[in-house]
Each structure stands twice: as structure tokens, then as C-alpha cells.
Amino acid sequence: MRLSRSLSITSLSGLPLWEEESLDVQDLLLFEVSWEVTNKVGGIYTVIQTKAKITVDEWGENYIMMGPYYEHNFKTQVEKCEPPNQAIKAAMDSLINNGCQVHFGRWLIEGSPYVILFDIGAAAWNLDRWKGDLWNACSIGLPYHDREANDSLVFGSLVAWFFKELTDQLQDKPNVIAHFHEWQAGTGLVLSRSRKIPLATVFTTHATLLGRYLCAGNADFYNNLDKFNIDQEAGERQIYHRYCLERAAVHCAHVFTTVSQITAVEANHMLHRQPDVVTPNGLNIRKFSAMHEFQNLHSMNKAKIQEFVRGHFYGHLDFNLEKTLFFFIAGRYEFSNKGADLFLESLSRLNYLLRVQKSDVTVVVFFIMPAKTNNFNVESLKGQAVRKQLWCVNASLYCIHRGEIPDMSKILDRDDFTIMKRAIYATQRHSFPPVTTHNMLDDSTDPILSNIRRIGLFNGRNDRVKIVFHPEFLSSTSPLLPMDYEEFVRGCHLGVFPSYYEPWGYTPGECTVMGIPSVTTNLSGFGCFMEEHVSDPSEYGIYIVDRRFRSADESCNQLTQFMFSFCQQSRRQRIIQRNRTERLSDLLDWRYLGRFYMHARHLALSRSFPGKFKMDHLNLAPTQGFRYPRPASVPPSPSASSHSTPHHSDEEDDDTYDEEEEAERDRQNIKAPFTLGAEPEGKSKQPLENGN
């Protein structure tokens, strides 16, 4: 059977269709194995959850996910049902009859994929025997005190056992593809291959285990990739056994993939195998889609943030909120890995530039990173209370119930003046507005607060850059900032994510699909992806800081210049840029990025069952995506790289820009998508579709 290089799916706006024969999935079963199936731990949960819909559309009931069983997750996220495939049911019954507990159902997410969940605790009595099996298979021993590694062994042994029973039932028809994510699931891959179970296997690493540890220790990671003694580094961090499991899974897999080009370079050095396919992470764009409403959503949610700022900076609100920009950084509290150190230093330099230029623009910067706290800051709560009091006074004084102009000499009486004076006195403040909204448990040693003290940004009157550290994830029920994360992102002007270690980076991707410009780096998977797919990312609101080939000081200056140039833009220029940013959404849609996963599965089939599946062009050139051109309204000159037109006032109008016309020109100039081989003979290229 000859393999196709794509399945028939609806192409994205602006992308031509791949006219290839589709793979007959009725003769195949696809299993996706991950520790985060129905079990949210980190970013892999987002990957498999958002990708489920397009995979179910492609494979139907022949697609099953596999993960660990947790009672609470199963009761709240899974609808229990019987397996539709008798071979799967027989394999599950075999494990159940031997004292294991296996659960089947539909995961209640978009697409409703089938899931098989293995109870780790119920099978833990086999741990010592399975440790012996692992040692006999690949000479890897696991210490008794590493609970996570032991759980991964139990999980992997159950998965391998299930596949053995399943393939014995199927007798080579249909063939089975098993896709494993990360080292926790990799044990099942290693055991399956050592037992010669007839599977086509794919292994995806979303970040190398040792890479995370080295970067968390502030190592000069990317400049010393070829100099690390890998075994020694893993041993010193007491993760040598985990590293061995990860490396064994990588080398046992028929196809090895990773999520970005930068992680591919890392994996080549850390795990000693070049990835066969790069499978970028996508998003379910329909979830964020607001069509032409996203500009209105920005205005509505910006007003909510402005209300918070009015309260937080009461008594020091001597800046114009209509000329105030909101920047933010969000994610796990990894101070160096997420680039918070570089961001703070750049903010200090930005503050200096804005003051020297006597700019009337103020920047309020939010740090949304969870840390240890014991309660809300009293000053922050008081600020919101004062704001609400002033609002009530304003409403009571100026609310007109009758449809006639009041007598201005009678609109205020003595009591009204008394209320106004009390409200004005209440706004007096003799201390700076707090830089954090909560009481920090480790105030003196907290990295963000320590660096704020070092650079001296205390929200003073003369500072043009103000800082608000919100050490909790956002919630619509918060008494301080009652907004969900998505609402907050839509209300901001710029997301800043100058990460040093970021294998992919969902935060700038989420900004992009919501039409919010963002800063990323060429050390993040997202930044590398945008550099490859967009001719001039900064014109589309994707600013990419060079942290790979520049010194820390040069990277800091570049980030400062990006933010300073953004502050110089007029309101109209920012609106134009948001339109362009939102047009990049299709790039991050699983309908497009899912094609890389399709290719990985096809490649695995051709390698595991070469007599049955053929695939042309196995020696492929590096895959390339379609490439967005420079926006049509931007003159093709180097001077245009920072902002599209010279700075002008908010009142100035630019009649030369037409959003629809520019979008149509961009669609016509989009280069062809990547191909996994030459164009088939006799097939002509399809014209580019209209619509974006």
C-alpha cells in the first residue's frame, strides 16, 4: 500500500489544498499515550486536548488516547462506555482478569475521543517484577525513592502489556500506530520494542529532561551544548535513570519528533538523535475566534484594566489613562527561564528613555506569575474600595433621571460638597502605590521584588513605567482584578515573553490568535516558527529578541528598543498592527500544523512495515511552511522595520491604509505551503483560496 503524504482536510484560508490520495484509516488503529491524558500537569495537556478534534475528524473511532487513571478526573471528565472494538475489549479483559484495573470511556472535550486509563495504584504490586523486566530489557535501574519514575514504569508496563494482548488479537490487521509523549510514557515504548510487539512507534519530546535542569541552574546552555558531559550532568542532578529512560525511548522509536527547531538542536546534543520531523504545537483557533469583534473586545477589556489601575494608583493617578499602555508577562514562576530578569532590566532602560524624551505615554506592566503568598495586600484592597466610593459619589452627583438640563446653581448643595471633600481627602496618599497586590511570604528573597528594588522602579510620580506584580493566576472572582486570563490578554496592548528556555511557548501564541502583539525570542519554539513563516514578523506584531547570538546586554537593548518603538506608535498604528497580528492566527491552527503529525505517522508506518507501506522521498529537505509576505502597505525599506509609518498624533488619520485591501494583497502573495516531496505528475497547483 502506498502512503499518502496528507489526508484530505479543509485547507486554511490562503493555503492551497494538498491533492494526495488519503490513507485508509479503516485498516489502522492510532493510540496516543501520555501521562497528561485527562490529567493536567503542564503544557502537554494543552497540546493533546486542543489537537483531539482534528485527530478524531481524521481517524474517527480508530483513535484512542491512553493515560493514567485518577478517580476524580475520571468522574468529572470522562463518560464511561464500552469499547467499540472487540479486540480492544479482549485486551482490556485480559489485564483485568490478571488483577489490573483498566477503564474506558469518552473524554469530554471537543472531539470526544476515546480514552483507556490504567490504574497505577492497583497494579503497583507488580513493581519489583517489572523493575527486573526493565533491567533485563535495557539495563536501566530505578531507585525506590523516585515515585514519579516508579509510576512511569508501572504505567509503561501496563501499556506494553495491553499492546501485546491487542496485537495478538488483531493478527496484523489492522496495523497499530502508537504515539508516545515525553519520558513518562516512553517506558511503554521501550518495553514494546524490546518484546518485538508489531507497532509503528512515534516518540515526541516537548523539552529534554536535562535541558530543563541545566537552564534552571543558570547554565550558559545554548553556547555550551557541545561541551556538556551529559552523563555527568545527569548524575550530579540525580536524574540519570530518568535521562536513560528518555534516551532509550528516543532511540527505540521508529520516528522521533520534537516541537520546534530550537528543541531539535537541543535534542541532537542531549539525546544524540536528530529528530525526523518537527511537529509544532497548535491551538484550537475557533475557541479564540472573534472575527471583526476582537478590536471591540480589546476596548471593552482595556476599560476593565483601567478601572483596576484607577484604584491601585489612587492618589498618584497623575497620568492620562487614555495614553497608558498595558504590558504583561505570564507563566510559571521561572525567573530566568521565562526571561523575567531581562524584562525587568529592559523596563528600567525604557523608563529612562521615556523620561529623557519627556514622553506623555505611561506604561503599566503586569507580572502574572504564581508565587507563595498569604493574602491580598491591604493597600491594594483599599485602593479598589476608594475607587468604588468615588464611583458612587460620581453617580449620585451626576445621574440625571429627568430628560431636562438641570439648574447648575442648584445641582450641588452643601451636603454634596461635603461628600466630595471627603472623597478627595480619601484619595490622598503619602506612600507609593504597591508594586505587588499580595503579601509575599518570601518578600526579601523573591527574585522579582529583589530586582525591582535594584532597578528602583517603585511606582513613583516621575516614573513613566509602573509595575504591578500579581502573584496568582487571574480569576473572574478576584476582588482585585476580576478578569479571566483571556479577557485580561485581550485588554492589554503587548505581551512580553523574552524566554531563555521555551521549547514552544503557548503564551505568545495565545496573544497572536487574540490579535495582541507580543515579544518572543529566537530561543523559543514559537519565535523560531514565526521567523520561518513570516517575512517581517515585527510588522505583524511579533517582535523577536535575539538571545542566541547576542550578549545579554545587547538582547536587553534590543528588547528596550522594541518596547520604546511600540510606545511611539499612535493609536491608529496599534489598531493596524492588531489587525495584522490577528491575521496570523491560521498559522497556529491545528488544521495546518496537524499535517506535521500526519507525516510523522506515515513515516513510522513505512519504517515499521516496509513490505506493506511505501513512502516516496524519505530523504526530505527541511520542511518549510508557507510564508507571509511583508504587509502590502509597508514600504520595502529597512527604515520600516520598527514601525510602519513615522510617529504621528492619535488624531492624525492615514487614508492610505485599507485593512481589507492589505489582507487581500497578503493572501495573494503567500508562498506555497511546505511539501513532503515533489509535486505529483499530472497534478497542477490549486489557486490560492480567498478569505482569511
Side-chain angles (χ1 to χ4, degrees), residues 185-205:
T187 310
L189 190 157
V190 174
L191 293 173
S192 296
R193 291 303 307 278
S194 69
R195 296 168 186 172
K196 296 182 171 53
I197 300 174
L199 299 172
T201 57
V202 181
F203 181 77
T204 297
T205 181

Side-chain angles (χ1 to χ4, degrees), residues 170-300:
L170 294 174
Q171 296 295 322
D172 200 35
K173 187 174 179 66
N175 293 113
V176 177
I177 307 171
H179 190 151
F180 299 82
H181 292 267
E182 285 295 306
W183 70 272
Q184 293 99 326
T187 310
L189 190 157
V190 174
L191 293 173
S192 296
R193 291 303 307 278
S194 69
R195 296 168 186 172
K196 296 182 171 53
I197 300 174
L199 299 172
T201 57
V202 181
F203 181 77
T204 297
T205 181
H206 297 258
T208 68
L209 190 64
L210 190 55
R212 283 198 184 278
Y213 276 83
L214 288 170
C215 287
N218 293 322
D220 187 4
F221 184 63
Y222 293 99
N223 289 325
N224 293 285
L225 274 174
D226 57 342
K227 300 180 180 64
F228 288 117
N229 184 328
I230 305 300
D231 292 336
Q232 179 182 338
E233 296 288 352
E236 289 177 353
R237 288 160 178 78
Q238 299 183 10
I239 58 166
Y240 185 69
H241 55 289
R242 296 188 183 191
Y243 164 72
C244 289
L245 285 175
E246 180 182 40
R247 185 169 170 180
V250 165
H251 287 270
C252 285
H254 292 104
V255 172
F256 171 44
T257 80
T258 189
V259 297
S260 64
Q261 293 291 350
I262 191 67
T263 314
V265 173
E266 173 189 342
N268 192 30
H269 286 89
M270 296 287 109
L271 301 171
H272 302 288
R273 179 176 177 181
Q274 182 69 31
D276 301 291
V277 184
V278 172
T279 52
N281 291 337
L283 283 165
N284 183 354
I285 301 304
R286 193 169 68 177
K287 171 187 174 184
F288 299 99
S289 177
M291 300 301 289
H292 299 294
E293 277 295 300
F294 76 95
Q295 294 283 9
N296 293 335
L297 290 173
H298 169 72
S299 297
M300 290 165 52

Side-chain angles (χ1 to χ4, degrees), residues 39 49 186 192 210 261 315 321 328 354 358 392 550 585 685:
N39 176 40
Q49 182 196 38
S192 296
L210 190 55
Q261 293 291 350
L321 280 177
F328 80 100
L354 292 175
K358 293 182 169 43
C392 291
R550 295 193 183 192
S585 296
K685 291 185 178 180

Side-chain angles (χ1 to χ4, degrees), residues 550-567:
R550 295 193 183 192
S551 67
D553 186 63
E554 290 173 327
S555 298
C556 188
N557 284 334
Q558 186 183 23
L559 175 56
T560 305
Q561 188 57 47
F562 282 155
M563 294 190 293
F564 184 63
S565 298
F566 189 87
C567 292

Side-chain angles (χ1 to χ4, degrees), residues 365-420:
V365 183
F366 294 87
F367 286 75
I368 312 295
M369 291 181 160
K372 294 180 180 179
T373 65
N374 60 15
N375 213 332
F376 293 109
N377 187 305
V378 173
E379 275 295 303
S380 298
L381 290 171
K382 180 182 177 183
Q384 300 308 313
V386 169
R387 174 186 64 80
K388 291 174 183 176
Q389 180 186 12
L390 288 173
W391 175 255
C392 291
V393 170
N394 180 67
S396 65
L397 290 177
Y398 299 107
C399 190
I400 301 174
H401 300 285
R402 293 181 299 175
E404 59 185 47
I405 299 176
D407 185 348
M408 298 305 295
S409 63
K410 298 179 180 179
I411 192 170
L412 296 177
D413 57 23
R414 180 173 295 181
D415 290 339
D416 293 329
F417 277 109
T418 302
I419 294 173
M420 288 181 64

Side-chain angles (χ1 to χ4, degrees), residues 642-668:
S642 59
H643 43 268
S644 57
T645 59
H647 176 57
H648 56 271
S649 68
D650 288 347
E651 289 74 21
E652 182 179 342
D653 197 7
D654 182 4
D655 293 330
T656 63
Y657 174 78
D658 184 288
E659 202 276 330
E660 290 298 329
E661 180 182 348
E662 180 183 274
E664 181 59 33
R665 288 184 188 177
D666 285 357
R667 283 192 291 270
Q668 293 173 356

